Amino acid sequence: MRSVAIILPGLSFFPIGGYKVMYEYAKRLARLGYKITIYYPERLSYIKRGLVRISIKFLLSHLTPYWKWYNFEEMNEKIKHIQVYKLKREEIEKHDLVFVTSVETAYEVKRLEISKPVLYFIQHFENWRLSDTDLIRSYHFGFYNLVISRWLKEKVESADAKVSLVLPNGIDTNIFRIIIKPEHRDDKTVMMLYHELKWKGSWEGIESLKMLKDKFPDLKVTLFSVFKRPAKLPEWINFVRNPKLNDLVKLYNQHAIFLSPSYSEGFSLPSAEAMACGCALVATNSGGVMEYAQNGKNAEILSSPPNPEEIANAIEKIILDKERRVKLAYEGNKTIQQNFSWDRSVDTLDKFIKSLAR
């Protein structure tokens, strides 16, 4: 099984966590000798895209590579990227193995009735475009269900579906690492991902930070995002749009605390990256974050849904207790370094793929 098709839900000109993960697998599997083709279909079940929007995206894709925000390194010329309006069965059947990476791509490949093995990368409980019933139906398509956290394993198995493999995301600790020691950072610095989706809890997080600003006038906050700066964001909050990878690592290292106020997360890649960079993590119990975060040991875990007052109180305690913050930071870094390497994740996936050929 050397030829692999990876189906992503359309183009993305900006960094998205799920795309980053699949691009990393593509690059590393290519290094192992797999022939990787990544497909970007624009017409998918449950995603409504107008012809004008699709036409604009096709035009833009010819002007600039739509994956340029990710560095495929020496594998850049060896990985094929194919943008299509709609997937065709005869094209996908050419491959030995198919990866579907979202519920929409799962439905599309099911429609094609592919005869080759299909690995369903379940990266979240994706019920924001369709009902729970339709989502759960996709877990019973007969694909090999791969989940990125034990929380997702419980969600899939509670729907009486089988999980073939738990495959946590890896973190490249050669990139995401401590540059500025936690004890040398300003105690009153907080960083957070901003997202427009409500379940990310961004505005609850912002409300908590406003409460903290009243108590600590010298509080410094940075939000980063693929989205534009929201109009009603307080001026004192620093906002960085689409930071480059090296700049993102620097930002993590310039902050003492990372806040993740989500309602739910399949894994929460930024939280793990921040921990690897020496931030003390304050997060809601959003599901996937518990794959690596342990309350009181390497993170401060709060109840979900996010409560701004509870978040503010938790961050205040960490600000006032530097010794505890530094301990959480180093324990978090240790957890990621020891347990979430890409080498381990890719080796696990490679062995699983080879087991299918026996």
Side-chain angles (χ1 to χ4, degrees):
M1 292 187 179
R2 308 307 291 179
S3 178
V4 176
I6 298 176
I7 317 296
L8 289 172
L11 303 179
S12 176
F13 293 92
F14 303 103
I16 297 176
Y19 280 60
K20 285 173 65 176
V21 169
M22 297 316 302
Y23 283 165
E24 192 72 25
Y25 277 120
K27 177 176 70 179
R28 291 173 181 267
L29 288 174
R31 286 175 180 164
L32 295 179
Y34 289 88
K35 296 179 180 179
I36 306 294
T37 303
I38 304 176
Y39 291 89
Y40 303 84
E42 287 300 321
R43 182 177 174 182
L44 289 166
S45 304
Y46 296 102
I47 297 182
K48 295 181 180 179
R49 292 178 176 137
L51 289 176
V52 173
R53 181 183 176 187
I54 291 174
S55 299
I56 291 173
K57 291 182 77 174
F58 266 84
L59 177 62
L60 289 173
S61 70
H62 288 289
L63 297 175
T64 181
Y66 32 90
W67 60 89
K68 71 173 185 176
W69 53 265
Y70 181 84
N71 183 11
F72 284 97
E73 300 174 13
E74 80 283 4
M75 292 293 107
N76 190 54
E77 301 301 322
K78 296 185 178 181
I79 296 173
K80 292 182 180 179
H81 299 265
I82 300 179
Q83 182 187 11
V84 295
Y85 175 66
K86 188 177 181 180
L87 292 176
K88 294 182 179 180
R89 185 177 188 275
E90 58 269 24
E91 176 68 23
I92 305 304
E93 279 283 1
K94 295 177 183 178
H95 302 280
D96 300 316
L97 186 69
V98 180
F99 291 179
V100 294
T101 60
S102 68
V103 63
E104 298 88 2
T105 57
Y107 265 92
E108 195 65 14
V109 170
K110 179 65 175 177
R111 178 186 65 80
L112 297 178
E113 298 182 342
I114 301 297
S115 65
K116 305 298 174 63
V118 178
L119 274 58
Y120 184 2
F121 273 78
I122 300 172
Q123 303 186 69
H124 206 311
F125 191 72
E126 302 173 89
N127 61 349
W128 43 84
R129 283 197 180 102
L130 70 173
S131 68
D132 286 5
T133 300
D134 286 344
L135 173 60
I136 289 169
R137 184 179 295 119
S138 72
Y139 300 157
H140 295 270
F141 281 168
F143 300 158
Y144 294 97
N145 293 328
L146 277 60
V147 297
I148 62 172
S149 64
R150 288 166 293 178
W151 174 72
L152 280 170
K153 181 176 185 288
E154 292 174 3
K155 297 287 280 187
V156 173
E157 290 182 339
S158 68
D160 294 324
K162 181 181 178 181
V163 171
S164 300
L165 184 66
V166 179
L167 190 67
N169 293 331
I171 301 295
D172 191 339
T173 53
N174 291 319
I175 296 173
F176 296 99
R177 67 194 192 282
I178 293 176
I179 300 171
I180 300 174
K181 292 182 178 180
E183 60 267 32
H184 295 161
R185 301 181 193 183
D186 185 341
D187 298 307
K188 303 184 190 71
T189 51
V190 183
M191 186 174 172
M192 187 186 85
L193 170 71
Y194 171 78
H195 204 291
E196 291 183 350
L197 290 173
K198 178 175 173 53
W199 56 265
K200 288 288 188 177
S202 295
W203 285 105
E204 287 87 343
I206 291 168
E207 285 303 311
S208 70
L209 295 170
K210 288 163 67 175
M211 294 177 187
L212 283 167
K213 185 69 172 178
D214 291 337
K215 292 186 177 182
F216 303 102
D218 55 344
L219 180 74
K220 298 174 184 176
V221 174
T222 297
L223 271 55
F224 71 104
S225 179
V226 299
F227 300 98
K228 293 180 180 179
R229 182 187 181 101
K232 58 181 180 179
L233 189 69
E235 291 184 4
W236 55 267
I237 294 180
N238 182 37
F239 191 90
V240 181
R241 190 182 185 197
N242 290 328
K244 294 181 179 179
L245 183 59
N246 289 339
D247 293 332
L248 179 60
V249 173
K250 289 178 183 177
L251 283 172
Y252 284 139
N253 272 272
Q254 290 166 358
H255 293 78
I257 299 166
F258 187 83
L259 171 60
S260 176
S262 296
Y263 285 72
S264 69
E265 290 283 353
F267 187 83
S268 187
L269 205 58
S271 297
E273 292 172 351
M275 288 175 73
C277 290
C279 294
L281 177 65
V282 176
T284 49
N285 185 348
S286 54
V289 72
M290 302 305 291
E291 192 68 22
Y292 48 83
Q294 294 177 269
N295 187 39
K297 181 180 180 181
N298 62 12
E300 182 72 23
I301 303 300
L302 309 174
S303 61
S304 184
N307 179 297
E309 186 173 353
E310 183 185 15
I311 293 171
N313 289 338
I315 295 176
E316 179 181 359
K317 289 178 182 178
I318 292 178
I319 287 175
L320 296 175
D321 190 346
K322 182 171 184 173
E323 183 179 352
R324 181 165 176 265
R325 173 181 66 77
V326 171
K327 181 181 178 182
L328 291 175
Y330 278 116
E331 284 294 329
N333 170 268
K334 180 180 175 182
T335 297
I336 301 301
Q337 282 197 336
Q338 292 184 350
N339 301 291
F340 294 92
S341 74
W342 271 115
D343 287 343
R344 176 183 294 186
S345 295
V346 172
D347 181 61
T348 300
L349 179 58
D350 180 42
K351 288 178 179 176
F352 181 78
I353 292 172
K354 289 175 179 175
S355 74
L356 301 179
R358 293 172 189 160

